[in-house]
Amino acid sequence: MIFETERLYLREMEQTDFEALCKILQDEDTMYAYEGVFNNDEVHEWLDRQIARYQKWGFGLWAVVLRETDEMIGQCGLTMQPWKEKEVLEIGYLFERSYWHNGYAIESAKACKKYAFEILDATEVCSIIRDTNIASQNVAIRNGMVIKDAWMKHYRGVDMLHYRYVVYR
């Protein structure tokens, strides 16, 4: 376990989390900001990328697990992401749709911000969010972040405007 909050704990994802991850990455409503769902190979690649991040940096997107049921309901964590000409430390979050609007994203995102500042000794952390993803933008705002800048990212053949929300220690 990486850390726990009032209702959740976050831990490294494992290959056995594949099915739980599919519930997230293969749901059309959840994945609208990514321009479509992932196939099984893409889910495996996503999972493998997180595990490689743990080995490289000691962090990545972690499994978010309900303490009450021990069920993985989403993922939230810290990753290094390209932004313009540099890499930035980002808090990312993506939850199974049936768990939306319960405060789990902000609960885990706040804990990740604390981890970034207290454990990683970061001076700033951000969330990079597509312009159409209002729910994720609201989580960033509730996490004390403000829009710093914008950038057009090209993904899956589509130009997508993204905002970088930032908070400083």
Side-chain angles (χ1 to χ4, degrees):
M1 178 171 37
I2 307 301
F3 56 79
E4 55 187 336
T5 66
E6 182 182 334
R7 301 176 295 166
L8 310 166
Y9 68 88
L10 280 72
R11 61 163 174 78
E12 290 185 354
M13 283 191 272
E14 305 164 345
Q15 292 297 335
T16 55
D17 293 318
F18 177 77
E19 285 185 32
L21 203 50
C22 284
K23 288 181 185 176
I24 301 164
L25 300 178
Q26 295 182 339
D27 178 87
E28 288 202 20
D29 290 338
T30 302
M31 297 301 290
Y32 79 93
Y34 287 82
E35 287 298 315
V37 299
F38 286 14
N39 63 38
N40 283 350
D41 288 340
E42 291 168 321
V43 175
H44 277 294
E45 289 172 17
W46 181 276
L47 184 55
D48 291 344
R49 188 166 44 254
Q50 302 321 311
I51 293 168
R53 285 174 170 157
Y54 307 148
Q55 295 165 355
K56 180 176 182 178
W57 293 313
F59 56 84
L61 290 177
W62 295 306
V64 177
V65 181
L66 269 179
R67 289 173 60 179
E68 183 179 296
T69 63
D70 222 29
E71 177 185 5
M72 179 180 164
I73 63 166
Q75 51 189 326
C76 183
L78 298 158
T79 59
M80 297 304 297
Q81 291 293 325
W83 183 259
K84 300 183 179 178
E85 287 86 40
K86 61 182 180 176
E87 274 195 330
V88 295
L89 181 63
E90 183 198 25
I91 298 171
Y93 35 87
L94 200 54
F95 283 79
E96 187 179 328
R97 187 166 30 105
S98 61
Y99 292 96
W100 289 3
H101 308 297
N102 289 293
Y104 298 128
I106 188 58
E107 186 174 331
S108 56
K110 281 183 175 181
C112 286
K113 178 177 74 173
K114 182 178 179 184
Y115 186 95
F117 291 154
E118 294 180 5
I119 305 301
L120 301 179
D121 200 30
T123 56
E124 74 175 58
V125 66
C126 69
S127 287
I128 299 169
I129 305 168
R130 189 169 178 189
D131 66 328
T132 57
N133 191 342
I134 304 305
S136 287
Q137 291 177 37
N138 287 334
V139 170
I141 291 165
R142 289 179 63 200
N143 203 11
M145 297 179 168
V146 296
I147 294 178
K148 175 81 172 174
D149 52 2
W151 188 33
M152 190 68 70
K153 294 174 105 179
H154 190 76
Y155 183 73
R156 291 189 167 193
V158 177
D159 287 331
M160 304 176 191
L161 181 62
H162 282 73
Y163 300 123
R164 183 171 63 110
Y165 285 79
V166 179
V167 65
Y168 301 93
R169 183 167 39 161

